[in-house]
Amino acid sequence: MPTSQHAQPVVAGSATCLVVDDEPGVRRFLIRMLQAQGFQCFEAASGREALRVLDRIGEPPLIVSDMRMPEMDGITFLEVVRARYPDTSVIMLTGVSETSTAVDCLHRGAADFLLKPISMSELQARVSRALEKRALVLQNRFYQEHLERQVHEQAVRIQELFLQGVQMLARALEAKDAYTRGHSIRVSQYAVATASRMGFEGVSLDGIRLGGELHDIGKIGTREAVLHKPGSLTDEEFRQITEHPLLGERMLSPLAQESPDVLRIVRSHHERLDGRGFPDGLRGAKIPIEARIVAVADAFDAMTTRRPYRESRPPIEALAELRRVAGSQLDPEAVEAFVEAYPSERAVELYV
Ligand SMILES: [Fe+2]
């Protein structure tokens, strides 16, 4: 009975191959032929011993295995190999009377089967074919994975370029309006500080950061005369202002797949808890939480910076006003988180 010494390579070669058969004479014959094809051969006398060899040598490109063996039969061995080493080609050896089992082997993932007695030319032809097929499968998979990675990288790059573009637009919007200079960045920083208090982290926090920065991007489409008007607005002018969330959402639609939270912020940052906001008149929890957070940050920054139609208010007053409108206009939880985050946030101190 063969022992583990059979796990030693019989001869050096380029590709490895495992020969599994309980008859030593058959093994020797197979090994000689496979060595002639350039294989470095390992051998085992049973399925169980073969699995021990595989544990040690790893996944070989080729296994040639007998069907009938003690301890573990060929079919069971094949199934274990397919599960553990899916990239190994397995050629099964069968007697003439076992042809139906041989077909069964193919269904269970064997690369091929050979009928005993085995001829040298037949074995070598089948081995070459099995390895060629394996190489094609591996190559295909490599191309597929490579291609998928490339497509993904390109999609990420396109998104980055798009974001750079809209961020530049946001800067351009502020550059033409002295009153809102720094507004987007401050709103973004306030919103991030507030959201962190509320337990947001990772990509959700990134979404709030970006959404805060871009929340007013739709104002690019609002006429400057309306944006900067010192007095009260006509109905038509008010209608123009109220369009900016929807226009912004349309502008940012390429982000819909990757960053839907950013779009929710842009669309809903002017909604009010009591349903009297725009553009959808959403109420309470119907307003996305990210937008409720940005609304608090937006309201605070609007109050604490000078606008064409009024002077700025001191932060302490603005905080009191946030609390006063919590529950009707603004989300009370977001207001409290903002108030808690406010004094400790370095970014806030920088800008106020
Ligand atoms: Fe806005």
Side-chain angles (χ1 to χ4, degrees), residues 27-67:
R27 283 203 307 276
R28 272 198 300 280
F29 172 73
L30 289 168
I31 286 169
R32 257 203 319 278
M33 288 195 288
L34 290 163
Q35 282 174 342
Q37 255 183 301
F39 281 97
Q40 178 190 12
C41 293
F42 294 82
E43 58 182 298
S46 68
R48 203 155 286 165
E49 190 191 349
L51 291 178
R52 282 199 294 273
V53 174
L54 290 172
D55 274 347
R56 201 161 55 73
I57 68 169
E59 188 165 26
L62 180 68
I63 293 176
V64 179
S65 172
D66 194 14
M67 186 77 83

Side-chain angles (χ1 to χ4, degrees), residues 90-103:
V90 185
I91 296 179
M92 301 300 293
L93 306 175
T94 61
V96 179
S97 59
E98 299 168 301
T99 41
S100 62
T101 327
V103 174

